[in-house]
Amino acid sequence: MKTAVVWSSPNTDGLTATAKDRIITGLKTCGVETDEIHLNKMDIKHCQACKNGWGNCQAIGKCVIEDDFSHIYERITAADAIVFVTAVYWHDMTEYMKALLDRIRRCDAVHNGFLKEKECLLAACAGGTGIGAVECLHSIEETIGYMGMKVCDRIPVNRYNKEYMLDTLEKAGETFARHISVSGGKE
C-alpha cells in the first residue's frame, strides 16, 4: 500500500511538519509506503478559469498551466490513499493547498474521476487560538467531497492540544494504515 502525504506549511520544523511526521511514523509502523509531497517546495499556480471558466480540465481532464501540478496529480492518483496536512490561515487551508485542491477538483470531479472513493485522513494545524482548525477541516472535506473522496478522520491540532494530539496523530496514522490495508484504499 502506498499513501500520498500532501502537506503545506512554509515552516519545515513547526507544528504542521511535526504533525505530518507523526502521521508518517504511524503509517510506516504498519508497513505503509509513503510519498511525501511538500507543496511549499513546489510550483503551483492558481487556476486561471480559462476559456470562459472551463478549459482543458473539463474537456480532457488536464490543466493548461505549466507548473508542478500534473506531476503532483499523478502522484496522488497513483497512491492507494491520501493524507492532507495543512497549516491553518484565517480559518482555512494554506494558499498552496487551496490552489492544488481547486485545480484537482476541476480536472477530477468533472472529467477524470481518478480520486472517486479514495480514502483520506485530514489534519489541520492552527498556531493561534486554534479555533480555525475545525473550519479548515470542513473546507477541505467540502472540496474533496466534490471528487467523491472519502474522509476517514479529521484531526484538529493547535498549540494548546499538541502535547496529546501528536501521539493521537501517530495512532491515527496506524489506524488509517490498518484500514486501508483491509479496504485497499476504497470503502
Side-chain angles (χ1 to χ4, degrees):
M1 298 299 299
K2 185 178 198 176
T3 298
V5 180
V6 182
W7 72 286
S8 179
S9 174
N11 189 352
T12 57
D13 63 353
L15 181 59
T16 305
T18 303
K20 173 262 311 171
D21 289 341
R22 294 297 288 270
I23 292 170
I24 288 174
T25 298
L27 290 165
K28 288 184 174 181
T29 297
C30 294
V32 172
E33 179 185 350
T34 59
D35 178 13
E36 184 180 331
I37 303 168
H38 185 194
L39 297 179
N40 293 68
K41 303 255 184 209
M42 311 293 251
D43 178 23
I44 306 168
K45 294 175 177 54
H46 289 275
C47 175
Q48 297 174 356
C50 53
K51 297 183 183 178
N52 282 342
W54 291 101
N56 283 355
C57 54
Q58 184 178 31
I60 62 173
K62 292 187 181 208
C63 184
V64 298
I65 301 171
E66 293 184 22
D67 60 5
D68 292 328
F69 171 76
S70 61
H71 178 64
I72 296 167
Y73 185 41
E74 287 173 17
R75 289 168 67 184
I76 291 171
T77 58
D80 298 298
I82 306 168
V83 174
F84 292 104
V85 184
T86 185
V88 177
Y89 297 147
W90 302 101
H91 298 224
D92 207 352
M93 65 191 100
T94 68
E95 289 78 2
Y96 278 92
M97 186 72 75
K98 179 88 168 115
L100 176 72
L101 291 178
D102 283 345
R103 288 174 63 195
I104 288 175
R105 178 178 49 193
R106 284 182 165 267
C107 291
D108 208 80
V110 176
H111 188 276
N112 295 335
F114 299 144
L115 300 174
K116 188 173 179 136
E117 302 296 322
K118 198 159 289 217
E119 293 183 307
C120 304
L121 173 67
L122 312 179
C125 304
T129 64
I131 295 170
V134 173
E135 285 102 348
C136 177
L137 291 167
H138 176 74
S139 180
I140 295 170
E141 188 166 1
E142 284 246 325
T143 301
I144 66 176
Y146 288 111
M147 295 169 273
M149 298 168 78
K150 303 295 181 191
V151 177
C152 293
D153 203 356
R154 307 137 197 87
I155 305 168
V157 184
N158 62 57
R159 63 185 170 148
Y160 304 111
N161 70 11
K162 72 178 180 182
E163 293 307 317
Y164 64 88
M165 287 306 285
L166 293 176
D167 290 337
T168 300
L169 288 165
E170 193 167 322
K171 293 291 184 194
E174 290 176 24
T175 302
F176 188 57
R178 285 192 298 273
H179 172 74
I180 62 174
S181 293
V182 171
S183 72
K186 295 186 179 192
E187 259 189 324

